[in-house]
Amino acid sequence: MTNLVKKAAALVLLPNLCVQNANAISGPLSWGFPSPTAFTGFVHALQRKAMEGGLSPSFQKGFGGVGIVCHDFQPQVSWSSGDRAHVFHLTRNPGEKDGRAPAMVEEGRAHMEVSLVIAVKDALSPSEGERFAEDIFGMAQGMRIAGGSLLPPRIAERPAVQRWWPLGEGPEGQLEVMRDLRRKLIPGFALVQRNDLLIDHLTEMRARQNGSGAVPNMLDALLDFSRLNIEPGLPRSDSPDEVRWDVHRKPGWLVPLPIGYSVLSSLYSGGEVQNTRDRTTPFGFAESLYSLGEWISPNRVENLDQLLWYTESQPENGIYCCINRYSSYLDTQMDKGANKWR
């Protein structure tokens, strides 16, 4: 258990948030579900608003990570006749002052329904915690997630859901809460990080290409996971000269995942670089950092460390990213034979 999870005293559940027109392009190499950085940024903004608004005098330490569970995802794309790829629905708005249509700006959008599990570091009394969770849920309705707008909750269509989940003492107390919480997150899929599969696949690729002169790197392994590979199989028994080509199956529902950025240049003072949005904040050129993610059923999440995403920065190396500890516990459980869902 990480220190961050040890400090968690309770959980706030923001259930079934309906987001309209969320940003579906979070990095230069992929599109789809928003990056985890969009949700950690949302939780950070929510924390600042809660503290500035004085929702509770006991709320002083803030939040400690967010779990992301998706229930529905509808990318705004279409497939025109004659095309072999989907295209995004693009709009021209708002109009120019003289009434002319503005230039087309290419951007990807998606509608989605998500539930967020937020760790709270402060220990609040049951009554105070319930009021705090209700206020946080109401405050979130006026914010944006991944650039999208939150639609009003459809209360009449859903039963009341417990939003304040106080954690028990020690690991056993957290496990008991997680057992109840997992049922509230179904049907849905939790987003977790799978760097372990990426490393294993790179080792396999290097062993397969040993002696060919090629030395695959981590980007090659990520791209190999991200694309559809059609490979030849064994010759047919009834026709030895013919080979059947099949799609190479990969383990799990894996997705490339932008998780942050790495600084490429030295830090310039505010206003030194032309055409920046903010002329007071120091500026540095950066590139996206990628990892491998997996969508899994909430039933496979055993503890908070496996569910939560949180930020981790290394300013001395210029790295700012989000991480998740799902695979750290998976290795231990597999050694003990306790992971019955795999």
Side-chain angles (χ1 to χ4, degrees):
M1 184 181 294
T2 61
N3 290 331
L4 187 66
V5 172
K6 287 180 182 176
K7 295 178 181 177
L11 302 175
V12 169
L13 173 62
L14 304 183
N16 302 98
L17 301 175
C18 295
V19 187
Q20 186 181 47
N21 287 331
N23 181 21
I25 302 178
S26 301
L29 299 179
S30 63
W31 71 273
F33 194 78
S35 163
T37 56
F39 299 94
T40 54
F42 166 77
V43 170
H44 181 68
L46 187 61
Q47 172 185 300
R48 293 181 63 178
K49 289 191 68 173
M51 288 184 167
E52 293 171 358
L55 285 190
S56 171
S58 303
F59 184 60
Q60 300 292 331
K61 300 177 183 176
F63 297 137
V66 55
I68 306 165
V69 178
C70 180
H71 305 285
D72 188 28
F73 184 76
Q74 301 174 13
Q76 300 304 292
V77 297
S78 60
W79 194 351
S80 305
S81 60
D83 293 337
R84 302 190 62 181
H86 289 88
V87 295
F88 280 109
H89 298 169
L90 301 178
T91 60
R92 291 185 176 187
N93 52 17
E96 300 287 355
K97 293 181 179 178
D98 57 1
R100 293 182 304 173
M104 186 76 75
V105 179
E106 293 191 0
E107 54 185 0
R109 297 190 179 278
H111 304 331
M112 61 184 183
E113 181 178 346
V114 295
S115 290
L116 301 182
V117 181
I118 304 174
V120 183
K121 298 177 184 176
D122 299 280
L124 279 63
S125 65
S127 58
E128 189 179 13
E130 291 173 4
R131 286 197 303 273
F132 176 76
E134 288 294 329
D135 291 342
I136 283 291
F137 183 75
M139 182 174 284
Q141 300 302 314
M143 300 175 60
R144 301 176 73 90
I145 299 180
S149 304
L150 274 170
L151 300 180
R154 292 172 291 187
I155 299 176
E157 301 178 12
R158 301 182 187 281
V161 178
Q162 177 184 347
R163 298 196 176 102
W164 180 252
W165 297 74
L167 295 172
E169 294 291 336
E172 289 300 325
Q174 293 194 2
L175 291 177
E176 184 177 352
V177 173
M178 285 301 299
R179 279 194 289 268
D180 295 336
L181 181 61
R182 284 191 310 231
R183 289 195 288 268
K184 305 297 182 184
L185 301 176
I186 296 175
F189 293 91
L191 182 62
V192 297
Q193 191 173 15
R194 296 305 306 269
N195 271 355
D196 57 321
L197 291 180
L198 199 59
I199 296 172
D200 292 345
H201 192 59
L202 177 61
T203 304
E204 179 188 342
M205 289 180 67
R206 287 180 173 174
R208 192 169 62 242
Q209 299 182 21
N210 188 25
S212 65
V215 182
N217 55 31
M218 197 65 82
L219 180 60
D220 295 322
L222 179 66
L223 294 177
D224 194 54
F225 264 129
S226 306
R227 67 193 175 206
L228 189 66
N229 293 323
I230 301 177
E231 300 175 349
L234 297 175
R236 299 175 56 176
S237 57
D238 56 342
S239 179
D241 295 334
E242 295 183 10
V243 175
R244 179 175 177 178
W245 290 70
D246 292 316
V247 175
H248 180 70
R249 302 291 180 185
K250 301 182 178 66
W253 186 359
L254 303 175
V255 289
L257 208 60
I259 58 170
Y261 62 90
S262 173
V263 177
L264 293 175
S265 67
S266 57
L267 204 59
Y268 298 94
S269 57
E272 188 175 357
V273 179
Q274 294 183 352
N275 301 324
T276 56
R277 292 183 177 179
D278 185 353
R279 300 186 65 80
T280 59
T281 305
F283 178 89
F285 293 93
E287 65 177 353
S288 296
L289 292 177
Y290 273 82
S291 180
L292 190 68
E294 183 179 12
W295 291 105
I296 64 173
S297 169
N299 283 333
R300 290 171 53 184
V301 177
E302 290 288 327
N303 56 56
L304 276 180
D305 261 337
Q306 290 185 308
L307 179 65
L308 296 182
W309 287 86
Y310 49 90
T311 56
E312 185 174 274
S313 60
Q314 302 176 18
E316 66 279 7
N317 298 322
I319 294 176
Y320 303 86
C321 63
C322 295
I323 60 172
N324 168 265
R325 300 287 187 189
Y326 176 78
S327 56
S328 301
Y329 289 83
L330 190 62
D331 292 338
T332 302
Q333 290 181 350
M334 289 183 70
D335 291 341
K336 294 180 180 179
N339 195 335
K340 57 186 177 182
W341 290 284
R342 288 189 63 81

